[in-house]
Amino acid sequence: MPRKAAALQKKIRILVAKPGLDGHDRGALVLARAFRDAGMEVIYSGLLPSPEQVAQMAVDEDVDVVALSLLNGAHMTTFPKVKKFLEKKGGERIVVVGGGIIPEEDKPKLRRLGITGLYGPGSSFEEIVEHVRSRVSKERWKD
Amino acid sequence: MLRGGKDPYWGKKARSVAEGRSRKGTLYDAKAMEQVREGVKQWEKTVYKEWTDDRPEGGREVQTASGIPVKPLYTPADVADADYSSQGFPGVYPFLRGVYPDMYRGRLWTMRMFSGFGTPEDTNRRLKMLLDHGETGLSIAFDMPTLYGYDCDHERAHGEVGRCGVNVSSLRDMEVIFRGIPLGEVSTSMTINAPATVLTAMYAGVAKKQGVPMSRLRGTVQADMLKEYIAQKEWAYPPEAHLRLVRDLMVFATKEMPLWNYISISGYHIREAGSSAVQELAFTLADGFGYVDLGLEAGLKVEQFAPRLSFFFNSTMDFFEEIAKFRAARRIWATVLREKYGVKDERSLHMRFHTQTSGASLTWQQPLNNVVRTAIEALAAVLGGTQSLHTNSYDEAWALPTEQAAEVALRTQQVIAEETGVPKVIDPLGGSYYVEWLTEQLEEDAYRYFDRIDAAGGLLKAVKTGYLQREIAENSYRLSKRVEEGKDLVVGVNKYAKLEKEPIDTLKIDFRAQRAQAKRLAAVKRERDEAKVRAALAKLEKAFENDDANAMYPMLGAVMRYATLGEVMGVGRKVWGSYKEPMLL
């Protein structure tokens, strides 16, 4: 399956985004650099886009992954909103991962919505990059 | 500093600090110093070398968290010839050893714990409880919509009301927060930046209703917009517009609220964003000089406003580097204000600062270890001579702190204060060869940054081009990589890690605050005199459009008529637009 192999090897395009009223961009900026050094094409949303703007950006930029970062406690409303707008705008195949300050009990609910990763401060780049890669290849296998 | 100007002062200063260390001085006898130098050489060549040759694994990479290489041993030869006048005495220029003559012997630092959550009623209850326990210094945290200047019913506020602090959408909320609290008798610190002018106006408004004159109000607003662009990233308008509002606040408060500390120049967020100690020191002080320039441009004298400026630093894990940073900060501030700005009044040379332990140093893994981290960081702040201190709770890598965790954090300070004996002697690490050497090294590095910022067109330009932000992001990435590669070790994260998760109880906040706030805001809008609100907002808009006006007066008028936070901030959005930061990748 050469076509599939090529698809699987295609560079991953990832949008690192901070939806919502949250200026804590340290994690997002560091991860953007780590994804870049791991060979991905990285787009950074900048600060303060709305969930809808993030979804629009993801669709317009034709990314494989949206990596959401929030440290302000609003992830339970904001992350699902991004997911919803992605589905509305034809980005239902875009993988959504997230991270920040996410309490343990919120994680199952987010995972059920297909928002995975959910790493906290101090997580290893290797683990995060691996998680993104594996979710993207699973998605690409479906083709 | 604010606008740049290629001032040769900064470079000259950096060189003179560097040269100072190899210059012959008066502290030590020249012959004895020769012997020390010779002794060090001998020791390195023989005792130390023989020992370490047999133990190569002892040769870890040694540098401070800022990346400053450090030797295994410091002796008088490293600080030797510092003339003692550059160290001096507590309460005396250049204040290296402390701003007050008796430091903690007379009065301990203020244990100021930041709080605020949910509805104004929740916060009012918490504040009253603290007052009942003998606190006189209140410190209020606001939620994200308030910090960005949106009302609780704004689309952007959904899910965020009351989460990270209390929500304020109009004067009515402030009336509730301070209900039953006599504003003439307490001092209130409000951690607020972009809407600092509005919240100051609201605070003055509540006082007016309580019959307390503005001139008696004591407290602090953060209002440090420069560091917002550099690190915390909570702005509403472009930098020039926010600086103009800070200027208006300086001029207004100097005249009307002489006890109000109107800028708390903050390195805390710069550090949390991933900077090094050197960058925190340099960028924060550069901001400080920027505000001095701003005050001068507004026609004030430094002596009129410098005593109203205070600082806010981070304390994190590289113990000695942190202590050296606090000491260096005091000496740089006093030195530059005296030498470059010609300030004579001693009180204007005091760098008074608040410290908070580092949130970023806390790990979600093995959270109880954070108690220990916080204790060490708090100790560094005390040894550095802080005026007040907030200690973080061990559960903050997970969520807002629970009451129990917050109590342990406060107790940590109390143990340092009451049990360790550390407060008994002023600046007890002064004279440590290592600490004095490192203090000077940090100063030299800070002066080099001032020189670079000034040469690059000044602070405002450095912010708008993203120079400072990128410097921080690069350092932050460097630090993360060092942890990833095992060069820096974090207990429970990349060493002594355990697989199992230890669930801890965390504080839950629900949607109750959002609903209650929306309801009150609707009532405020129903009950107010709409025509008067419109007229007040129109007056405010005129003031915003006229750069020579002082917007504080019409702002006070608008909030007194219950124009909402979002409406007042909205006038600025209309006049100045919003701001998109430069690309930081």
Side-chain angles (χ1 to χ4, degrees):
Chain A
M1 293 188 294
R3 198 174 58 88
K4 187 151 214 158
L8 283 171
Q9 274 164 19
K10 213 180 104 210
K11 259 195 170 190
I12 294 175
R13 270 173 80 75
I14 184 165
L15 171 66
V16 176
K18 289 197 63 68
L21 297 179
D22 183 17
H24 298 91
D25 60 359
R26 177 179 183 167
L29 289 175
V30 159
L31 272 177
R33 284 164 168 78
F35 290 138
R36 184 192 63 197
D37 287 359
M40 301 182 195
E41 287 170 19
V42 183
I43 299 139
Y44 174 51
S45 70
L47 288 171
L48 312 179
S50 67
E52 182 169 9
Q53 286 167 328
V54 169
Q56 192 61 51
M57 227 180 286
V59 171
D60 291 348
E61 292 280 352
D62 191 25
V63 297
D64 302 292
V65 189
V66 181
L68 302 171
S69 163
L70 271 187
L71 291 94
N72 66 353
H75 50 271
M76 290 310 280
T77 46
T78 308
F79 285 5
K81 266 195 206 164
V82 172
K83 182 89 186 149
K84 200 185 77 199
F85 280 117
L86 276 174
E87 279 157 15
K88 236 194 208 158
K89 293 173 189 289
E92 63 284 335
R93 300 228 19 216
I94 295 173
V95 167
V96 182
V97 297
I101 306 275
I102 320 269
E104 215 41 50
E105 67 268 23
D106 291 349
K107 290 182 181 174
K109 210 165 164 188
L110 290 170
R111 287 200 184 104
R112 274 200 296 281
L113 293 168
I115 302 163
T116 64
L118 309 177
Y119 296 101
S123 306
S124 104
F125 293 154
E126 209 182 304
E127 201 184 332
I128 297 172
V129 165
E130 201 34 58
H131 178 78
V132 168
R133 282 199 181 122
S134 95
R135 281 216 51 200
V136 171
S137 33
K138 265 186 213 142
E139 193 58 43
R140 287 180 180 174
W141 261 112
K142 289 182 191 162
D143 289 324
Chain B
M1 179 58 74
L2 189 60
R3 324 255 174 213
K6 308 217 161 86
D7 189 333
Y9 175 79
W10 307 111
K12 237 191 271 170
K13 242 359 240 182
R15 284 190 296 281
S16 92
V17 174
E19 285 161 8
R21 276 182 306 211
S22 48
R23 203 177 297 138
K24 263 198 168 43
T26 54
L27 263 191
Y28 295 87
D29 172 71
K31 220 157 127 202
M33 187 55 76
E34 258 328 293
Q35 285 169 357
V36 173
R37 288 216 171 87
E38 199 44 46
V40 172
K41 257 189 226 152
Q42 279 298 321
W43 175 81
E44 277 172 354
K45 265 200 299 215
T46 58
V47 181
Y48 182 71
K49 187 166 186 304
E50 282 160 26
W51 184 272
T52 49
D53 278 353
D54 294 341
R55 296 167 181 79
E57 71 279 7
R60 279 197 198 172
E61 189 192 1
V62 268
Q63 55 176 35
T64 68
S66 287
I68 299 170
V70 285
K71 300 192 293 182
L73 182 76
Y74 287 81
T75 70
D78 298 292
V79 287
D81 297 323
D83 172 352
Y84 190 71
S85 70
S86 68
Q87 295 176 25
F89 297 92
V92 181
Y93 180 83
F95 306 102
L96 172 74
R97 312 218 48 192
V99 282
Y100 299 122
D102 61 350
M103 288 306 289
Y104 307 134
R105 285 174 77 108
R107 208 177 128 252
L108 288 167
W109 63 92
T110 305
M111 300 178 194
R112 204 188 267 275
M113 304 294 278
F114 188 42
S115 63
F117 60 95
T119 62
E121 283 83 357
D122 294 329
T123 296
N124 177 258
R125 264 194 301 279
R126 177 64 68 89
L127 293 181
K128 278 188 175 151
M129 191 265 282
L130 291 170
L131 288 172
D132 284 346
H133 285 62
E135 269 214 31
T136 50
L138 306 174
S139 179
I140 298 177
F142 297 97
D143 68 357
M144 285 292 176
T146 309
L147 292 171
Y148 281 98
Y150 292 112
D151 287 341
C152 62
D153 61 354
H154 192 278
E155 185 199 349
R156 303 295 311 257
H158 184 69
E160 315 218 20
V161 174
R163 296 238 164 212
C164 304
V166 63
N167 177 263
V168 171
S169 297
S170 77
L171 179 67
R172 182 65 43 81
D173 296 322
M174 289 288 274
E175 290 165 9
V176 174
I177 292 174
F178 296 105
R179 189 181 286 157
I181 298 173
L183 295 193
E185 285 157 43
V186 296
S187 97
T188 305
S189 167
M190 296 193 280
T191 301
I192 191 88
N193 291 280
T197 45
V198 191
L199 271 289
T200 298
M202 285 183 180
Y203 194 78
V206 176
K208 213 169 190 178
K209 298 206 159 185
Q210 285 189 2
V212 178
M214 281 196 278
S215 60
R216 271 183 60 202
L217 294 179
R218 285 180 305 126
T220 306
V221 281
Q222 200 161 67
D224 173 8
M225 285 312 296
L226 288 166
K227 71 92 176 50
E228 290 301 328
Y229 297 101
I230 297 173
Q232 185 164 251
K233 323 264 171 120
E234 289 163 10
W235 58 73
Y237 320 130
E240 291 84 353
H242 272 303
L243 283 177
R244 181 250 157 121
L245 288 175
V246 174
R247 178 204 73 184
D248 287 358
L249 179 61
M250 286 174 94
V251 173
F252 172 84
T254 299
K255 198 162 157 222
E256 312 280 358
M257 298 169 76
L259 304 176
W260 196 248
N261 296 309
Y262 38 72
I263 310 176
S264 167
I265 306 155
S266 306
Y268 186 80
H269 320 78
I270 292 175
R271 191 60 173 281
E272 290 292 291
S275 78
S276 66
V278 169
Q279 291 169 333
E280 180 193 355
L281 177 67
F283 299 172
T284 310
L285 279 139
D287 287 351
F289 302 134
Y291 293 120
V292 172
D293 291 339
L294 191 67
L296 289 171
E297 284 176 16
L300 299 172
K301 288 199 182 70
V302 182
E303 288 83 351
Q304 280 179 296
F305 63 81
R308 301 264 65 92
L309 304 179
S310 62
F311 285 80
F312 172 23
F313 288 109
N314 198 299
S315 187
T316 183
M317 284 307 285
D318 192 324
F319 191 63
F320 291 107
E321 192 175 50
E322 292 304 287
I323 296 166
K325 176 190 75 185
F326 299 124
R327 303 175 82 245
R330 266 196 302 274
R331 185 158 59 190
I332 295 174
W333 183 246
T335 304
V336 172
L337 284 196
R338 176 176 273 190
E339 290 182 0
K340 185 173 154 56
Y341 290 96
V343 175
K344 297 214 170 56
D345 167 43
E346 290 259 314
R347 234 165 46 94
S348 301
L349 302 174
H350 283 180
M351 166 181 275
R352 296 167 299 131
F353 65 94
H354 171 70
T355 306
Q356 181 171 340
T357 57
S358 166
S361 73
L362 306 181
T363 64
W364 58 266
Q365 297 93 334
Q366 305 179 26
L368 287 175
N369 297 348
N370 294 329
V371 177
V372 182
R373 293 192 178 96
T374 299
I376 293 168
E377 294 166 352
L379 183 60
V382 170
L383 287 168
T386 194
Q387 274 59 61
S388 61
L389 179 60
H390 169 102
T391 30
N392 289 326
S393 303
Y394 61 81
D395 53 359
E396 287 184 67
W398 295 67
L400 287 181
T402 58
E403 208 152 302
Q404 188 228 5
E407 188 177 329
V408 174
L410 177 61
R411 296 287 177 251
T412 304
Q413 293 198 39
Q414 290 164 339
V415 169
I416 294 172
E418 310 292 350
E419 298 182 24
T420 61
V422 168
K424 286 179 199 165
V425 171
I426 300 163
D427 187 30
L429 285 174
S432 148
Y433 310 126
Y434 175 42
V435 171
E436 293 297 354
W437 172 83
L438 190 54
T439 303
E440 290 189 354
Q441 183 63 53
L442 292 178
E443 278 174 79
E444 182 192 332
D445 292 347
Y447 281 114
R448 288 195 198 290
Y449 254 126
F450 299 150
D451 192 34
R452 281 204 289 276
I453 295 169
D454 194 51
L459 201 51
L460 187 57
K461 196 161 168 208
V463 160
K464 291 178 73 174
T465 56
Y467 165 58
L468 301 177
Q469 296 92 314
R470 274 190 300 273
E471 288 281 296
I472 295 171
E474 290 306 328
N475 189 67
S476 155
Y477 188 41
R478 177 184 73 90
L479 291 177
S480 301
K481 272 202 299 203
R482 286 181 64 83
V483 172
E484 183 94 357
E485 290 158 4
K487 286 183 182 152
D488 289 338
L489 298 177
V490 185
V491 172
V493 175
N494 63 354
K495 197 161 189 187
Y496 315 115
K498 287 197 293 192
L499 263 182
E500 84 274 27
K501 293 220 169 80
E502 299 160 76
I504 50 174
D505 287 329
T506 53
L507 184 76
K508 316 269 184 304
I509 289 170
D510 50 29
F511 279 87
R512 193 176 48 89
Q514 177 125 29
R515 285 192 293 268
Q517 282 301 90
K519 209 168 134 194
R520 174 156 44 228
L521 183 61
V524 165
K525 285 187 177 168
R526 254 194 330 271
E527 289 159 18
R528 65 186 186 181
D529 185 332
E530 201 58 34
K532 278 188 178 154
V533 173
R534 293 299 131 206
L537 289 173
K539 222 186 231 174
L540 183 64
E541 188 175 334
K542 274 224 177 76
F544 279 175
E545 280 165 351
N546 174 7
D547 207 37
D548 296 326
N550 190 314
M552 282 305 293
Y553 295 95
M555 195 175 293
L556 190 57
V559 301
M560 288 294 284
R561 286 170 184 82
Y562 295 96
T564 69
L565 174 70
E567 287 168 337
V568 171
M569 293 296 287
V571 174
R573 287 190 171 95
K574 186 173 153 205
V575 174
W576 293 308
S578 59
Y579 180 67
K580 196 149 174 56
E581 71 174 339
M583 204 49 190
L584 299 181
L585 264 191

